[in-house]
Structures are given as structure tokens and as C-alpha cells.
Amino acid sequence: MTVELVRGQNHPLPDTRLEIRVSAGHPVIAGATLGDEGGRVPGVEWIAHPGSPLLPGVEVSQQAAADHRLAVDLEAVPAAVHRLSLLLALPVGVGGPARFGAVAAPFVAVTGLDGSEIASYTITGLDRESAVVALELYRRQGAWKVRAMGQGYKGGLAAMLGDQGLDRPADLAATILEAVARGLARSVSAPPPRVPETERVRHSAPASAPEPMAAADSSPTLPVTPPPPPLPSPPASSGRSTGGGPISYAHPGRRAAAPEPRQAPPVPVAGDASGWSMDERLYNQVWGMFEDLARTTAAYRSACDFAESRLDKELDGVLSDPRSRIGGAGDAAREAARAKHDELTARAQEALDRDLAQLAAESEVVEPALPAAYARWDNPVWHAYRVPMEAPMALRLGDLHLPERTDLCIPMLVRLPLERGLWVDSGRGRSEAAGLLDEAELRRLALDTAVAHAARLLAVYPPGEFTVHVVDPAGSGATALAPLVEAGVLGGPPAAGAAGVTAVLAQLTERVDLVQMALRAGAPDALPPGVDTAEQLLIVHDFPHGFDDRAVNQLRYLADEGPAVGVHLLMVADREDASAYGPVLDPLWRSLLRITPVPDDHLADPWVGHAWTYEPPLFPSGSRILPQVLAQVAEARRQWGR
């Protein structure tokens, strides 16, 4: 029976192998400390956190997320450990909420490995606190118990770590936040919270049709980030049943009645999501598919992990009993344990296959219905392309998939205007695909990818509302940039040499300053004559060639301040080329969304942090789509005098 704890209440734990599940509805940092009998933490080596996630008996997530699952084995903790504390903190400094009072109350639950909930605690009463000791597992007279704590700290992570008895807590807090910032830099940020259904019109199939997309099977229970990517915080989702039961990893905004046994699965419908327009409904539907796939895969992996853990535990039990180590009884016990394992994994695979088949069917319906801004370059919608009269709400940057089914690709949609710059990594990194290419080919593909993104941005904005500048100091990108240059869609010729770099950066820096001053004065329209009010994109190729220290600082300034006033970066660079700058450029790389010219599994979703393989957008072989689209953009500009 589940016990709902209140602050200060304790409850005995029936087992030593547990999971602690956290559901916050917004990204939080999860950590754990191991304390002695007096509750003191001897040193930093007794703390599990995103920068050092593994300790004997406990493992935490390596990034901030809305949902966490912490594996705990109390038998594996050192004998000197008498207390394990769960710490939660807001990732300050990354644009999210700065206090728990501004968000929904976090929910934590202690469960068995089979998902059965032992005790739960909703952490209420927090206001200005940005860090909290959620609960503690403690040993008393040889038995373990859980106690609800809810001790918040207005001084944040450093104050909480200091209260644990650590020396130099501020240094450790900075290390943890640095690790979290690196994790968030690779996370696909989710879209803004969805408008409640009561305020929107639900567009779905006719009443006679089944409700599309039943909620993902979350049994056994164990997630995208949207946006990708990142951008704003994930949609608020409780991640748990309203009755205090186990956390549900089904998509919270797409719950539908499960079909009756033997009933045909619901028929997918394009646009089956809330929204005022079809484009908005498709956008929300794609993000729903993204979250469904993340969560159903999490449930599958959790079930497999549980099956492996139970098999290990049962085999350990057989080996620990001298009477069953040899002979028929031992063999029978081992066979029975393996049979249970195989049955559990088979059931998990069956549930996964069912959910993946439903998502694949939905993808087959949704993909052809996508507008140009969301569509692949091989979508027929581009053959009927016309320059739009208003900007779309989002843009496709590529595709994402998981190893469980590589042919089920989710469009990677990010909101417009861009809230982060883009970085097309021309280095090898850890990508297997990049390792098969020589350096020159990889750099060529990186610039081709940047051109494809720039062309799509130009194509989805109304005439004259998006301006592209190019910095190519050595002129080495002339071939790849030729489609943009020949179509006449750039704001000017690609800037070459150090002088060209200086001129373009000075122009855009001045624009950022002028717009910021106008906004602070409350007169956003009072800009000097000649200031281009269109969204600006700066493509930087071959960085840091041609950049001096002043230019590097201006580039960092544009990355930090530009997006809020319509100036965006698209870097094409190998980080190793700029290694001479050391940590000075770390904030620059973290501020940009890293994408690659070849498939690479470097992006994480904002729900459970799966590693997703990113597939860059590619033009079909021999396609003339790029010059045709750019020609229409150029012609529309001429007609509108832009």
C-alpha cells in the first residue's frame, strides 16, 4: 500500500533495491549525498551529481530534466553510510525559473524495482527557495526508512551543500551548474506550455472515428526536451497518476481511452492536436509524437532493466545458498529465473512494438501533411512553393530517431524566431559517420548544411523580413555559398578577410545596441533611418580564421544578446580550431544549438534525456529545389521592393 508522506513523516522500506522517481514538470537538477551516522557528508567524493553521477549504491542523471529516476541499492553503499539524501535544485542561469514558488510543487516517490510505489511526497510550501533536500533514506537499528524532508534553501545549491557539512560548497555548486549547462546545451528544448484544452478548439477525427493515438503503454513504468534542442522549458506535465500511484510515462497531453481488447487500433489523423490553425495543430502533434516516442522507449528500457536486475538478484540468491549451487534444484532455479526474465522482456518488447507501430502509422499520415517550413526537402509541398506572407511558428532543422527503430524519424521543429543560434560542427567529435570522412569533405558538408538551413529560413519568411549575412574570411566556402550568392538573396557579398569580418560584426553589434536602447526607452519603433528591421542571420564560416580578440568578443556578444532583438548566429566551425582561446569560448559554444552535417547521437530530449540521433536535412540527389526556391525568394523581394 502506498503511503503519502507529509513533511517530517517516516516510513519503513521493505527492500534495499529501490528507485526514487522525481516529477517536477520543469527541469530540475537531481543529486544525492551519502552521510555518516551524524548526517555529515565527509567530502565531495560522497556526492552524486550531474558532473559525477555514480557512487556505490546510487546513480543520478547527468542533466537537468523534468522527470528523474534514481537507482538506489542500499546494500551497496559503504558500511559507514547511514543516510542518503535526495537533493533537488533549479538550474539557475539558463533562463528558467529562479525559485520553486514560481512552479508546480515537485513530486517524489520511492518505488520497488517492479514499479510498485512504497511512499510518495509532494514538496509544498516552497517560495523563494531554489534548492531543497526532498527526502532522506536513513539506517536505524539495521533497518532502512524514508523520511520526507522538504528543507528548502533560499541561498540555492551552494547553501544546501554547505548545510551538508561540505567545505567550499560554492566551488562544488559551480562545478555542478557547469555540468548542467553542458547537458542543457545538447538538449532539444521543448515548446512553451500548451494552451489548456478548455481555451482551444480540439480538432480531431469525426465522432464516428476512434480517438487517435492512445496513450503510450507505461507498464512497467519507468522520456525529447522540444524547444530541442535548447529553447523554452518543457510543457508542464505531472508525470504521475492523480491518485498517488506510480509515475506514468504516457504523454500527458495526449491521453486517450485505451482500445478494448481485440479492437483495431485508433486511426491516426493529421492535425490531431490543439491549436488555432492547422500549422499550430501539426506542430503540437509532432511534439506529441516526440514525447510519446521518448516515454514509450523509456518504459521499454525500464522494463528490460528491471528484468535484468531481477534475474541478477535471483541468480545471486541461488548462488548464496550452498544447497542449490549444484544439482537439479540449482539448475531448475536458474532456468526459472531466466524464464521469468525472458517473459518480462518479451512483454516489454510486445508493448514497445505496438506503440512504435502506432507512432509509425501516425508519422505516415502527418509527414505528407506538413507545410513547407516543417517538411523535408523531398516533400512535394516544395514543388508548389510560394513565398509566404507571414512567418510560420516553427522550422524543421532535421530529423531525430532512437536505436529501437531507426526508420521512425521525428521532425526536429524549433520555434521561430530562433531563441538560440546554431552551430554546425565541422569537426569529427565522436561521430562514427564523421570518422569515415576526410577533413575537407566534412567541412564541405558542414557548410552545405548551413546553406540548407539558411535557404529554409529565407524561404519561410515574408519578402524582406529575413536578411542573411555571410563571413567567409578565407573565401574557402565560395562553392557551397554559390546558390545564395547567385540568387541574390544575401544582404551583401560574403565578407572576406579581417576587414570584412570587422565591418559585418560592427554593423550587427550596432543594430543590437540600437534596438536594445529603443526597447529600454519604450519606443521600439523609434530607430534611426537605415536600420534594417528584418530578422538578421550571420553565417560565420571557418571560425576563428580572420577573427582577432575584439571580433571574438563581438561574436560572443551577438550570441548572448542578439536573439532577443532579432540577430542570430549560424556558426560553421570545428571547436578544435579555436582551442587556443581555451575556456574563454566555452559560453559561446554552450549558447548555440549544436547540429552536425552527418548523423550523430548528440542531442537529448527534455523529458528523460535519451540520446537521439540527429539526421541533417538533405536535398534529394539531382534536385533543383534549392535554386528554384531561392529564385522565388529573390523575385518576391524585387516585386515588393525589398
Side-chain angles (χ1 to χ4, degrees):
M1 179 178 177
T2 300
V3 175
E4 295 186 9
L5 302 176
V6 297
R7 184 174 181 178
Q9 184 180 358
N10 60 45
H11 184 71
L13 295 173
D15 202 350
T16 55
R17 291 190 176 185
L18 308 162
E19 280 189 340
I20 300 177
R21 300 177 176 182
V22 179
S23 179
H26 53 86
V28 295
I29 304 167
T33 60
L34 302 181
D36 58 20
E37 196 165 4
R40 181 178 176 277
V41 180
V44 295
E45 67 276 6
W46 288 49
I47 300 179
H49 57 80
S52 179
L54 185 61
L55 287 179
V58 61
E59 183 175 6
V60 303
S61 172
Q62 297 186 53
Q63 70 175 49
D67 298 317
H68 290 273
R69 297 172 59 91
L70 283 66
V72 176
D73 184 354
L74 297 174
E75 292 181 354
V77 300
V81 172
H82 287 258
R83 186 172 301 174
L84 187 155
S85 299
L86 170 66
L87 315 180
L88 302 178
L90 294 170
V92 296
V94 295
R99 59 188 184 92
F100 276 111
V103 296
F107 174 85
V108 293
V110 180
T111 75
L113 292 182
D114 60 354
S116 59
E117 192 171 293
I118 299 168
S120 65
Y121 174 41
T122 301
I123 310 172
T124 57
L126 299 177
D127 185 12
R128 296 185 176 275
E129 297 86 351
S130 60
V132 61
V133 179
L135 51 78
E136 67 177 15
L137 311 183
Y138 65 98
R139 179 159 34 195
R140 182 69 52 83
Q141 297 178 345
W144 286 91
K145 295 184 178 182
V146 57
R147 176 185 288 122
M149 297 293 290
Q151 177 62 55
Y153 294 86
K154 296 179 182 178
L157 188 55
M160 180 170 61
L161 293 172
D163 200 37
Q164 297 282 314
L166 291 167
D167 295 330
R168 303 176 64 183
D171 292 346
L172 178 58
T175 299
I176 294 172
L177 292 174
E178 173 74 14
V180 170
R182 289 196 300 267
L184 289 174
R186 59 181 288 269
S187 173
V188 179
S189 298
R194 295 179 178 85
V195 174
E197 292 291 335
T198 56
E199 300 179 20
R200 290 291 178 94
V201 178
R202 172 75 173 177
H203 298 265
S204 59
S208 60
E211 176 71 14
M213 272 310 298
D217 190 339
S218 60
S219 177
T221 53
L222 170 59
V224 146
T225 131
L231 315 165
S233 300
S237 60
S238 67
R240 57 186 174 92
S241 66
T242 56
I247 296 174
S248 169
Y249 283 86
H251 184 299
R254 292 158 58 85
R255 301 185 190 277
E260 296 294 331
R262 301 184 186 88
Q263 190 177 20
V267 178
V269 177
D272 177 46
S274 60
W276 292 113
S277 66
M278 187 62 172
D279 287 3
E280 185 179 0
R281 297 198 298 272
L282 286 168
Y283 170 81
N284 288 334
Q285 185 173 15
V286 166
W287 270 92
M289 293 164 60
F290 188 12
E291 187 174 354
D292 280 347
L293 182 53
R295 293 181 182 274
T296 198
T297 303
Y300 166 73
R301 293 179 182 178
S302 175
C304 291
D305 290 344
F306 168 67
E308 292 290 341
S309 177
R310 191 167 82 168
L311 175 62
D312 291 342
K313 186 175 182 180
E314 292 182 354
L315 292 179
D316 288 345
V318 173
L319 293 174
S320 64
D321 186 353
R323 296 170 297 178
S324 60
R325 288 179 187 169
I326 58 175
D331 292 341
R334 283 188 284 270
E335 287 300 321
R338 292 191 178 93
K340 291 178 184 177
H341 169 272
D342 294 344
E343 180 186 2
L344 281 174
T345 54
R347 284 166 49 194
Q349 186 66 55
E350 180 183 359
L352 176 69
D353 290 344
R354 181 182 66 247
D355 292 340
L356 292 184
Q358 183 65 22
L359 283 169
E362 187 172 13
S363 178
E364 291 175 359
V365 171
V366 169
E367 190 69 50
L370 296 176
Y374 305 173
R376 292 192 183 102
W377 287 112
D378 60 358
N379 191 309
V381 71
W382 286 106
H383 293 284
Y385 167 77
R386 294 293 182 271
V387 177
M389 290 297 103
E390 63 180 24
M393 66 181 298
L395 184 85
R396 187 175 191 151
L397 290 182
D399 293 330
L400 299 168
H401 66 76
L402 290 172
E404 279 76 8
R405 182 160 177 178
T406 57
D407 65 327
L408 178 53
C409 293
I410 303 295
M412 180 179 169
L413 302 182
V414 297
R415 290 293 293 266
L416 291 179
L418 295 173
E419 298 180 21
R420 299 173 68 184
L422 304 176
W423 165 30
V424 183
D425 190 353
S426 59
R428 296 189 184 278
R430 293 176 295 178
S431 168
E432 294 182 5
L436 300 175
L437 301 173
D438 61 43
E439 182 177 338
E441 177 67 7
L442 195 57
R443 291 178 183 272
R444 183 190 66 78
L445 288 175
L447 188 52
D448 285 346
T449 301
V451 168
H453 289 310
R456 184 180 290 260
L457 283 162
L458 285 165
V460 302
Y461 273 88
E465 292 191 13
F466 197 84
T467 303
V468 177
H469 309 268
V470 176
V471 166
D472 184 24
S476 57
T479 301
L481 294 169
L484 299 175
V485 175
E486 293 170 0
V489 293
L490 295 179
V501 171
T502 300
V504 171
L505 291 178
Q507 174 188 345
L508 293 177
T509 300
E510 182 184 29
R511 183 190 183 280
V512 171
D513 291 340
L514 290 172
V515 175
Q516 285 184 335
M517 287 189 291
L519 291 174
R520 283 195 292 267
D525 297 329
L527 291 171
V531 175
D532 187 357
T533 58
E535 295 282 315
Q536 309 285 311
L537 178 72
L538 173 60
I539 301 177
V540 178
H541 181 234
D542 215 12
F543 177 80
H545 183 79
F547 282 74
D548 56 20
D549 290 345
R550 175 180 171 79
V552 168
N553 287 331
Q554 287 178 313
L555 195 66
R556 288 184 54 186
Y557 176 72
L558 292 178
D560 293 338
E561 304 294 334
V565 291
V567 177
H568 315 281
L569 289 184
L570 176 49
M571 298 274 292
V572 184
D574 179 357
R575 188 169 183 172
E576 290 300 316
D577 291 344
S579 58
Y581 287 94
V584 172
L585 288 181
D586 286 351
L588 171 65
W589 303 120
R590 285 199 302 268
S591 70
L592 305 173
L593 175 61
R594 176 177 174 256
I595 53 181
T596 53
V598 293
D600 188 28
D601 59 349
H602 66 285
L603 290 174
D605 64 78
W607 300 287
V608 293
H610 291 316
W612 292 73
T613 297
Y614 168 78
E615 297 270 359
L618 299 174
F619 292 101
S621 179
S623 171
R624 296 284 302 165
I625 289 296
L626 178 59
Q628 291 172 7
V629 168
L630 292 178
Q632 289 201 44
V633 171
E635 178 60 28
R637 289 187 171 190
R638 285 191 290 271
Q639 291 180 0
W640 286 80
R642 304 294 179 88

